[in-house]
Amino acid sequence: MVIGLLGLGTVGGGVYNLVNGRTDMSIKYVCCLEKPEGLTAILTSNFDDIVNDPEVDTVVEVMGGLHPAREFAIKAMSAGKNYVTANKLLIAECFQELTALAAEKGVALRCTAAAGGGIPWLTAIERCKRADTITSISGIMNGTTNYIMDTMHRQSVSFSDVLGQAQQLGYAEADPSADIDGKDIQNKCVISANVAFDVLLQKKDVPVFGIRNVTVQDIADFKEHGFCCKLIATAVRRSGKIAAFVEPTLVSGGRLEAAVPSNFNLITFNAENAGRQSYFGQGAGRYPTAYNVVEDLIDVAGGVRSFYTSDFTAAEVDNEMVAHQYYVRFAGTDPWLEELITEKWDCGVITKPVSVAQMHAWAKTAEEQDSQMFLAAIK
Ligand code: HSE
């Protein structure tokens, strides 16, 4: 296998080092802006050098971002090259276009590192579906936010201080608002749901509430009531419809999710026969992510010429079909919320069960009154 590698940052540097330790694949080109010390591959800033070289059979993209990643993916697969990427934004935004192109050209499109970092999550879904039907997926799919929530539960430190630590440790996205506002986990939720359910869910179908506004006082309230707060993505299939959403979630202390430390991820599917299967591991970081890129490359070298699934249908999205109680901290006044209150905690109130669609729609307008409001599902 001869590879053109796009990007030599945190993950790209890891891929470069791991591939260089192998004999079954080699990196012929590296496309990046600066020439690092000791690079043995050809350095180019022109992607066409890679596309036009017939010796290159596989392109690996670990630059991130939507452009020019989308254009590179289209060019590479159109030229008959396999495409392996960790770019979740690219796959979530261009899911239909890229999976269709890969199928048309008969090339591999693999992105295992895009959802779950170092966890073999998409491949586990792929395998499960050979013998079973997945009914739901859910979990902690963002290392930065888990690191923040875990640290804030252990020590009384402010949100912004912990975010700074996560950035220094290399977990956070270049723009960490993608992590804390839930956009990163939303991408992973879309990819996972589409692979699990053979649908074409889009990001607009998945309402998101992030953790930006959580306070030390909120966490003290959660702990006092025996809960731990995690940012969780969920997608459920019921009667042919899909509900999918991302929200801070209060889980009781005995749940597996409550025990997930540091930047780890814990992702679960439920299937009709297999029941619950949960995958725990490193969801971010240089070598865990690079490891999964290399696993994809090994699959492609072994003959895989596909995406994880095919025959997608449009998703019928219905976020009314899932309802639960919520913790809401809101400084404004709102009759709809008042009607729902069943209990008052120190900082926030607890609501009766309310649908995900209604709560997220309300939160959008409520944020205009109180930009610091916070909500969390209770499960
Ligand atoms: N910023 C992401 C995270 C990186 O924290 O999980 C891995 O996708």
Side-chain angles (χ1 to χ4, degrees):
M1 171 181 273
V2 179
I3 297 164
L5 175 64
L6 313 179
L8 203 65
T10 304
V11 178
V15 171
Y16 184 83
N17 291 342
L18 294 186
V19 170
N20 273 349
R22 301 182 64 88
T23 54
D24 56 346
M25 56 186 72
S26 62
I27 296 174
K28 182 165 181 182
Y29 296 93
V30 171
C31 188
C32 67
L33 297 176
E34 284 167 27
K35 183 174 168 89
E37 290 285 306
L39 190 77
T40 51
I42 301 166
L43 180 74
T44 179
S45 56
N46 184 358
F47 180 63
D48 288 343
D49 292 344
I50 297 172
V51 167
N52 294 331
D53 185 338
E55 207 191 354
V56 173
D57 52 78
T58 303
V59 172
V60 176
E61 184 266 299
V62 281
M63 310 176 306
L66 196 51
H67 303 290
R70 173 178 167 271
E71 290 69 30
F72 287 174
I74 290 169
K75 258 189 171 181
M77 290 195 287
S78 298
K81 300 189 192 300
N82 302 304
Y83 207 75
V84 172
T85 182
N87 189 334
K88 53 244 160 165
L89 178 67
L90 171 73
I91 300 294
E93 290 279 356
C94 309
F95 192 91
Q96 186 168 10
E97 179 182 36
L98 297 183
T99 54
L101 182 61
E104 182 197 325
K105 298 293 173 187
V107 297
L109 172 62
R110 306 297 279 189
C111 58
T112 310
I119 303 171
W121 162 244
L122 293 180
T123 47
I125 293 177
E126 182 182 31
R127 273 180 69 82
C128 174
K129 288 173 58 199
R130 300 183 307 186
D132 209 343
T133 301
I134 295 179
T135 53
S136 70
I137 57 154
S138 67
I140 296 166
M141 304 180 77
N142 180 274
T144 302
T145 49
N146 199 66
Y147 180 85
I148 292 171
M149 297 312 283
D150 182 51
T151 309
M152 288 182 75
H153 279 74
R154 287 171 197 275
Q155 306 156 24
S156 186
V157 277
S158 75
F159 181 88
S160 54
D161 285 352
V162 195
L163 175 61
Q165 290 170 19
Q167 286 177 289
Q168 277 172 8
L169 289 163
Y171 306 149
E173 296 300 300
D175 175 2
S177 63
D179 295 296
I180 62 179
D181 294 331
K183 298 292 175 197
D184 177 78
I185 185 171
Q186 183 192 39
N187 290 329
K188 294 164 180 173
C189 182
V190 166
I191 298 168
S192 305
N194 285 351
V195 174
F197 304 138
D198 296 309
V199 290
L200 294 166
L201 202 67
Q202 295 175 43
K203 288 169 68 174
K204 67 176 177 48
D205 300 323
V206 183
V208 174
F209 198 91
I211 62 160
R212 177 187 288 273
N213 290 349
V214 73
T215 63
V216 171
Q217 291 77 19
D218 288 320
I219 306 258
D221 232 359
F222 305 153
K223 283 167 75 172
E224 194 183 315
H225 291 86
F227 288 106
C228 173
C229 186
K230 299 288 188 180
L231 185 64
I232 290 184
T234 305
V236 179
R237 175 168 51 190
R238 226 179 267 162
S239 311
K241 293 181 184 175
I242 308 287
F245 46 91
V246 170
E247 52 194 11
T249 304
L250 303 189
V251 291
S252 59
R255 289 263 306 273
L256 284 182
E257 285 77 6
V260 175
S262 187
N263 70 323
F264 281 90
N265 285 193
L266 176 74
I267 329 174
T268 295
F269 66 66
N270 279 284
E272 285 176 0
N273 300 312
R276 175 177 177 162
Q277 289 195 6
S278 294
Y279 296 80
F280 172 84
Q282 284 282 331
R286 167 175 271 200
Y287 282 107
T289 311
Y291 153 81
N292 244 346
V293 171
V294 173
E295 286 284 12
D296 280 351
L297 291 171
I298 295 167
D299 284 339
V300 174
V304 167
R305 291 289 177 274
S306 61
F307 190 62
Y308 304 87
T309 186
S310 55
D311 300 329
F312 303 103
T313 54
E316 192 183 337
V317 183
D318 183 5
N319 281 323
E320 284 291 347
M321 75 179 175
V322 175
H324 36 241
Q325 291 187 280
Y326 282 91
Y327 166 93
V328 180
R329 176 175 46 71
F330 176 60
T333 49
D334 187 278
W336 179 82
L337 181 64
E338 295 295 322
E339 277 287 300
L340 289 170
I341 294 172
T342 58
E343 200 183 327
K344 294 195 172 172
W345 289 3
D346 282 351
C347 298
V349 298
I350 306 302
T351 70
K352 294 177 198 162
V354 52
S355 77
V356 168
Q358 284 181 38
M359 182 53 85
H360 283 255
W362 174 77
K364 275 207 171 2
T365 56
E367 275 177 319
E368 288 164 17
Q369 262 192 70
D370 174 12
S371 63
Q372 297 305 305
M373 69 159 287
F374 186 70
L375 66 77
I378 304 180
K379 287 191 184 160

